[in-house]
Amino acid sequence: MSNISSLMLQIAYTPRADSNARGYEDWLREIDMPFFNSVDGILHYSNWKIIDSPVGTCPFTHFDLMFLDPDGGYDKVFGNPEVDNFAAGWNDSWGT
């Protein structure tokens, strides 16, 4: 995946404590990643979970990497009503 884009965003977060018991990891694979990977302007999107932090306590448990098209990807993604609605739904279901 090297040289996929010169513009990458890291989105760091911690979902609700009961998220895994409610199927969060399956939701990420089946809903979240396919949605974001289909958005115009996003070249690649992936989710990551921190299992162990070798440098001490990490202030978040998960992060996403979003590689944007350097030619207008940011503007296509942010302010996109579908992305805004999806993010609001994530917050309602999983956010703290």
Side-chain angles (χ1 to χ4, degrees):
M1 187 172 43
S2 65
N3 299 325
I4 192 168
S5 176
S6 60
L7 181 57
M8 181 198 78
L9 301 176
Q10 178 188 19
I11 305 162
Y13 60 95
T14 299
R16 291 183 198 149
D18 68 342
S19 293
N20 281 345
R22 294 186 297 117
Y24 185 62
E25 291 179 6
D26 288 337
W27 182 86
L28 287 174
R29 283 187 293 275
E30 296 167 9
I31 307 295
D32 187 70
M33 283 198 306
F35 171 78
F36 280 108
N37 278 304
S38 73
V39 172
D40 188 31
I42 297 176
L43 299 177
H44 180 78
Y45 175 86
S46 59
N47 308 106
W48 298 87
K49 180 179 178 180
I50 297 171
I51 302 298
D52 187 25
S53 179
V55 294
T57 304
C58 187
F60 52 89
T61 61
H62 293 70
F63 64 94
D64 303 340
L65 298 179
M66 182 183 292
F67 293 87
L68 299 174
D69 182 344
D71 296 320
Y74 187 91
D75 293 330
K76 290 178 184 176
V77 174
F78 295 94
N80 177 329
E82 289 182 36
V83 172
D84 292 345
N85 289 335
F86 191 88
W90 181 93
N91 195 52
D92 290 345
S93 296
W94 313 107
T96 54

